[in-house]
Amino acid sequence: MKRILHVAGREFASTVLTKGFLIGAVVVPAIIAVAIPVIIFIISQQKAPAVVGTVAIIDPTGEVAPRLTEYLSPEAIAERRGELVRQIGEAMPGLSGAPQGSMDQAMAMASGELPQLTVEVLPPDADFDQAKERIRQAVKNDPDSTIAVARIDRDAVEKDDAQERFGAFALTVMPRLDERIISEIRGGVRRGVLDARYEANGFEKAAIQALTSVDAQDTTEVTEDGERTSTSAMSFILPVVMMMLVLGAVFTGGQYLLTTTIEEKSNRVVEVLLSAVSPTQLMAGKILGQMLVGLSMLAIYSGVGISALIAFSLGDLISPLDLVWMFLFFLTGYGMIASLMAAAGAAVNDLREAQTFMTPIMMFMMIPYLMMLVVPRAPNSMLSVTMSFIPPISPFIMMLRIASNDPPPIWQILLSLAVSAVGAVIAIWLAGKIFRVGMLMFGKPPDFRTLIRWVRMA
Amino acid sequence: MDDAVVIENLRKTFGPKVAVEGLDLRVPTGTLTGLIGPNGAGKSTTIRMLMSILFPDSGTLSVLGKRSALESKDRIGYLPEERGVYRKMKVTQFLKYMGKLKGLSDPELGNRVRDWLDRVQLSDAANKKCEELSKGMQQKVQFIAAVLHEPELLILDEPFSGLDPVNLRLLQQLMVEQHKQGRTVILCTHVMFQAEQMCERIVMINNGQKVLDASIQEIRAAHEPSVVLFEPVEPGTADAASRVERLDGIESVEQTKEGWVAHIDPRVLPAPQAVRAIAQAIEVRSVAAKRVTLEDVFVEQVAGESAARQAEIRDALRGSGDQAEALEGAST
């Protein structure tokens, strides 16, 4: 056992201390963790330009221009943004813990500083093209420069009975005008047209708004601890994420196992090692070492994911038992896939030759990827249930089911675990046989028939 | 004397190829035994079975009193024919790892690694990556890995291949030193000259079968010299040659690049008497019986092989000229 641990220790250390692993497992999550607050900070420091200018409007109806003037006043803009902050706060309860000041600041960042816009009403018969010319001559940040021209159709507010549709409006803006400002102007014109139509048709704006808006209550879920806002989107994403975590960790460990096995073989260091340990001990040590590598990956990425869920008050979406299942299904999945990859590494002389044996393994591994869109929607369908009992994909399909909205009964989880464990034992046994013969075979890579002969030989 | 290694009726096949067939072998404890034979004779396969790296199809073996080397790996040092190191590992790190696999632990392990690196003049390379070392240096590192844990049995498979004369001599000295310290050493080589220089016991293998198993003295006693080299005072004189040729027991005389050679029939005229007879018959600067080499013995043992195969075997058994010269230098 001591020898196995020595082999495992070397395997683990020589893998996690490589640049590739440090970048993939530590640096990338660290960059993500650091980058998000940094980006937010940078954005917070970026003062959106205080847009100053004139919005010209040709309004033959005479109804839209006053409404636009009111809509674009700094006070009205500030009020709308305040309302938006309130809505976001309700939609994302995880952010509710943030101080109100920082929310306002965040919104100020997102929408920029309040623009100082003056609305200039042009004569109703003013030429639109001439008005556009004013935009060409506009100077940035000059309050008298025209940054946008809106033209309202004569029949935009009132139409003849014969007419099927109302008239429209056109908007022309200066190049590279801030998108948020364009949105404000367009919204203002649209609002103005609509409000004018309500009034012209004898409707009360407030009544129309009341009729056309429904304050829907949030969909809630009843849990053992009470009720919570529905997380239907998360209940689809979570199984996929958990399955990808397990699959990714299994594959990372397996890939390293493949490459280090090939390296030991091509370096010819294997016979030196086999003078000190048996082939079984060597393979066991390598599998154990790379399993720790996979577990480290799983722990790092799961840790980041769980922290994110907790930050958004969604921590209760994952139960500690889910994490236990994830750990156990990782072990069985790793046992099946990684040991076969070790056998593939032992059978060949270089990575290129390994592709022959990797292809069938990869084809199996594609199945969970394909099923990740199907299983979470119907976790207890015949297809989902059946596939969660077929090694070597059983651990991954079962993870999709466990993290879904409708988790399987415990006996199915345990049965899948048992089937996967048996699959892992068989895979390790087969791999051990191939490993023992393959590690000392050089030259032409074997075909599948030769592999079967090796299994019989060893 | 106990036997460090006992092999009985060992057989190993790889598909249709029979690598080892009915091999019986005993290596007495404390001896330096040469396991010799041409490439592909089955030496490395035998050694790998001894080390439990490969497993025999049939037959039994015992290593240091155990049924398998797996039970006594800590007591065996092995330098395989296929050399290898972890390229990215530092020399000290690699040796410590190998030492740990052999059951050693710090701080003793650290001290031993330092001492050995010092002895093979690799102290400066202690913190270098293995890939930065020359092939010869790597070979010395591997030799250290084989002896670091002070094994009772040391198995060296082609230890001199690829070494320059200086390192070859150093490694030979270290091997002899290990033997003098009471360790059983098995030297596996296809270069007979090396085995002849160093070993006290020889086991010859050909086509997976043992063809000879005896001490050097026994081999020499059983194979009387059949050639006498002589140098007449007046070299090149046909008269001297014809006088020698007329002696009883002399079969023929010829002039070769080694000088004048008299082929004798040892049963009629043993070599010592032939030397005396030639010295009396002609005036000579020197006359001496030419000792039978292992190569001659081996070729005699495989006399059933075709002439072409025998020539091939002779070439294989001679090894490189450099190695032979270096070993000659080391033995003087």
Side-chain angles (χ1 to χ4, degrees):
Chain A
M1 190 63 197
K2 212 172 170 184
R3 287 193 177 91
I4 294 176
L5 292 179
H6 281 312
V7 174
R10 196 211 80 84
E11 194 77 11
F12 180 74
S14 66
T15 303
V16 297
L17 296 179
T18 57
K19 284 178 196 158
F21 183 85
L22 289 175
I23 290 170
V26 180
V27 177
V28 170
I31 286 175
I32 292 169
V34 171
I36 291 170
V38 166
I39 288 168
I40 291 173
F41 177 77
I42 290 170
I43 290 172
S44 74
Q45 298 305 305
Q46 275 183 341
K47 298 281 182 197
V51 177
V52 174
T54 297
V55 177
I57 180 167
I58 303 168
D59 180 17
T61 68
E63 295 293 331
V64 180
R67 290 182 168 87
L68 179 66
T69 307
E70 189 190 333
Y71 189 90
L72 294 182
S73 70
E75 297 77 24
I77 293 173
E79 192 183 335
R80 283 196 298 278
R81 288 183 183 177
E83 175 63 15
L84 189 59
V85 171
R86 191 189 62 76
Q87 286 175 1
I88 291 174
E90 282 178 6
M92 299 176 73
L95 292 175
S96 58
Q100 190 55 43
S102 65
M103 280 285 287
D104 293 344
Q105 196 184 1
M107 274 311 299
M109 295 171 228
S111 46
E113 283 193 9
L114 288 178
Q116 302 295 322
L117 302 173
T118 310
V119 176
E120 182 187 352
V121 183
L122 300 178
D125 54 352
D127 186 64
F128 189 38
D129 290 333
Q130 274 186 5
K132 284 183 197 169
E133 276 303 310
R134 295 169 61 168
I135 292 176
R136 287 207 179 88
Q137 292 152 16
V139 179
K140 243 184 172 180
N141 293 329
D142 173 14
D144 297 328
S145 285
T146 303
I147 61 169
V149 178
R151 190 202 63 196
I152 314 297
D153 287 351
R154 196 168 295 280
D155 52 357
V157 174
E158 289 182 85
K159 65 177 178 67
D160 297 335
D161 290 342
Q163 249 180 286
E164 194 181 328
R165 296 178 66 86
F166 283 98
F169 70 87
L171 180 67
T172 306
V173 297
M174 71 185 293
R176 289 187 287 280
L177 184 61
D178 194 293
E179 184 58 37
R180 291 161 288 194
I181 304 302
I182 297 173
S183 179
E184 288 281 8
I185 298 170
R186 175 176 286 279
V189 177
R190 185 174 174 278
R191 188 74 259 161
V193 169
L194 284 176
D195 287 350
R197 284 180 190 171
Y198 298 155
E199 199 176 305
N201 287 278
F203 299 124
E204 268 187 49
K205 178 184 167 188
I208 294 289
Q209 277 182 341
L211 283 171
T212 54
S213 67
V214 181
D215 281 344
Q217 289 287 320
D218 286 335
T219 310
T220 58
E221 292 173 354
V222 180
T223 67
E224 287 174 6
D225 303 325
E227 291 186 19
R228 69 175 180 201
T229 306
S230 173
T231 49
S232 55
M234 284 307 291
S235 65
F236 176 75
I237 295 169
L238 200 63
V240 172
V241 169
M242 287 186 78
M243 189 277 284
M244 296 280 276
L245 276 177
V246 174
L247 195 63
V250 165
F251 236 71
T252 304
Q255 192 65 36
Y256 279 122
L257 198 53
L258 176 82
T259 49
T260 59
T261 305
I262 290 174
E263 184 196 354
E264 278 166 1
K265 196 176 165 185
S266 60
N267 272 356
R268 310 279 167 138
V269 78
V270 62
E271 201 167 345
V272 180
L273 294 173
L274 291 179
S275 72
V277 295
S278 70
T280 312
Q281 286 172 323
L282 179 62
M283 197 181 93
K286 289 178 71 63
I287 287 180
L288 183 63
Q290 295 300 348
M291 190 182 80
L292 293 176
V293 173
L295 270 178
S296 305
M297 292 284 284
L298 194 61
I300 291 168
Y301 279 95
S302 304
V304 171
I306 292 168
S307 306
L309 284 176
I310 291 170
F312 286 93
S313 300
L314 296 170
D316 60 336
L317 283 177
I318 294 187
S319 72
L321 189 60
D322 287 349
L323 296 177
V324 172
W325 294 132
M326 186 163 82
F327 170 74
L328 292 174
F329 279 107
F330 163 77
L331 292 186
T332 54
Y334 176 85
M336 284 185 276
I337 302 300
S339 55
L340 291 178
M341 288 170 88
V348 300
N349 302 300
D350 55 44
L351 263 179
R352 190 177 42 80
E353 290 174 3
Q355 294 312 313
T356 313
F357 299 113
M358 286 302 294
T359 305
I361 298 175
M362 293 299 287
M363 279 169 67
F364 267 114
M365 288 304 92
M366 285 307 291
I367 298 173
Y369 277 109
L370 297 173
M371 294 304 291
M372 73 186 183
L373 298 174
V374 179
V375 175
R377 291 187 189 281
N380 290 308
S381 67
M382 179 66 87
L383 180 69
S384 301
V385 174
T386 308
M387 293 191 100
S388 60
F389 296 126
I390 302 174
I393 56 169
S394 45
F396 312 107
I397 302 293
M398 191 45 101
M399 276 320 298
L400 283 172
R401 294 184 62 202
I402 288 172
S404 71
N405 261 347
D406 188 8
I410 190 82
W411 70 265
Q412 286 194 10
I413 300 177
L414 291 174
L415 182 60
S416 173
L417 196 59
V419 168
S420 306
V422 170
V425 170
I426 292 171
I428 292 171
W429 175 78
L430 276 174
K433 296 218 162 214
I434 294 170
F435 192 88
R436 178 184 283 182
V437 179
M439 282 303 262
L440 291 170
M441 291 284 185
F442 297 96
K444 188 181 160 219
D447 51 21
F448 283 99
R449 197 183 302 168
T450 313
L451 284 188
I452 293 167
R453 208 177 66 230
W454 286 4
V455 170
R456 286 185 185 153
M457 249 167 78
Chain B
M1 192 187 288
D2 292 339
D3 290 321
V5 171
V6 179
I7 291 176
E8 285 174 353
N9 203 23
L10 206 64
R11 177 184 162 88
K12 178 71 185 175
T13 56
F14 294 104
K17 180 174 167 48
V18 180
V20 176
E21 176 72 73
L23 183 68
D24 293 313
L25 175 65
R26 284 176 184 273
V27 178
T29 302
T31 57
L32 200 167
T33 301
L35 188 59
I36 61 178
N39 292 329
K43 306 184 298 292
S44 294
T45 303
T46 304
I47 294 298
R48 284 172 176 170
M49 284 191 281
L50 266 184
M51 291 301 300
S52 294
I53 292 171
L54 292 177
F55 293 90
D57 297 343
S58 61
T60 58
L61 54 83
S62 125
V63 186
L64 298 176
K66 305 281 184 185
R67 304 278 300 165
S68 154
L70 290 175
E71 298 171 41
S72 50
K73 280 202 170 182
D74 289 352
R75 297 159 63 200
I76 307 171
Y78 176 48
L79 178 68
E81 184 182 12
E82 297 286 0
R83 308 287 147 66
V85 287
Y86 284 110
R87 294 168 53 77
K88 300 289 176 192
M89 241 177 163
K90 289 182 177 170
V91 171
T92 304
Q93 219 180 352
F94 173 73
L95 288 173
K96 282 189 171 179
Y97 176 56
M98 291 308 299
K100 280 179 183 167
L101 290 182
K102 290 286 189 181
L104 297 177
S105 52
D106 283 321
E108 189 197 7
L109 176 57
N111 294 336
R112 285 197 195 180
V113 168
R114 260 193 307 280
D115 289 349
W116 267 107
L117 287 173
D118 201 32
R119 288 180 68 184
V120 301
Q121 295 143 22
L122 280 180
S123 298
D124 294 344
N127 288 316
K128 282 185 178 172
K129 285 183 179 172
C130 291
E131 65 183 355
E132 294 171 36
L133 304 185
S134 68
K135 193 183 171 194
M137 289 161 107
Q138 286 185 10
Q139 202 147 325
K140 287 197 281 188
V141 169
Q142 285 170 329
F143 180 80
I144 297 175
V147 297
L148 196 60
H149 56 298
E150 298 180 349
E152 294 167 43
L153 172 63
L154 184 59
I155 301 174
L156 305 165
D157 196 354
E158 304 284 2
F160 306 118
S161 67
L163 282 183
D164 64 53
V166 175
N167 281 316
L168 192 149
R169 202 176 294 184
L170 173 67
L171 208 60
Q172 191 192 27
Q173 285 165 358
L174 292 171
M175 268 179 64
V176 170
E177 188 183 292
Q178 292 289 313
H179 175 229
K180 282 182 180 164
Q181 286 171 1
R183 298 195 170 96
T184 308
V185 180
I186 298 177
L187 168 64
C188 192
T189 181
H190 70 282
V191 184
M192 302 267 172
F193 189 80
Q194 293 168 345
E196 198 169 355
Q197 288 289 323
M198 298 177 63
C199 301
E200 51 198 25
R201 189 165 190 86
I202 295 293
V203 175
M204 288 182 179
I205 293 183
N206 189 43
N207 291 334
Q209 291 177 311
K210 187 171 75 176
V211 292
L212 180 73
D213 183 356
S215 69
I216 286 283
Q217 288 81 0
E218 286 168 342
I219 292 170
R220 284 182 182 150
H223 296 83
E224 283 287 315
S226 60
V227 168
V228 174
L229 294 172
F230 64 96
E231 188 184 353
V233 173
E234 292 171 34
T237 55
D239 179 48
S242 62
R243 268 185 283 157
V244 171
E245 202 162 15
R246 284 198 294 273
L247 292 171
D248 284 343
I250 302 287
E251 289 181 336
S252 64
V253 173
E254 61 176 332
Q255 194 170 18
T256 68
K257 60 183 177 184
E258 290 178 280
W260 284 96
V261 172
H263 295 277
I264 60 172
D265 181 351
R267 289 165 299 183
V268 179
L269 184 65
Q273 290 173 31
V275 168
R276 275 198 298 275
I278 292 171
Q280 285 165 3
I282 61 169
E283 210 175 337
V284 291
R285 279 206 178 89
S286 67
V287 57
K290 188 183 175 190
R291 189 182 278 176
V292 173
T293 63
L294 281 181
E295 182 188 313
D296 299 325
V297 175
F298 190 87
V299 173
E300 187 186 311
Q301 294 295 329
V302 295
E305 303 272 6
S306 66
R309 174 66 183 149
Q310 283 193 24
E312 205 178 286
I313 290 171
R314 269 192 190 278
D315 284 344
L317 298 180
R318 277 177 191 155
S320 73
D322 284 352
Q323 289 201 351
E325 281 166 26
L327 280 170
E328 259 179 359
S331 65
T332 51

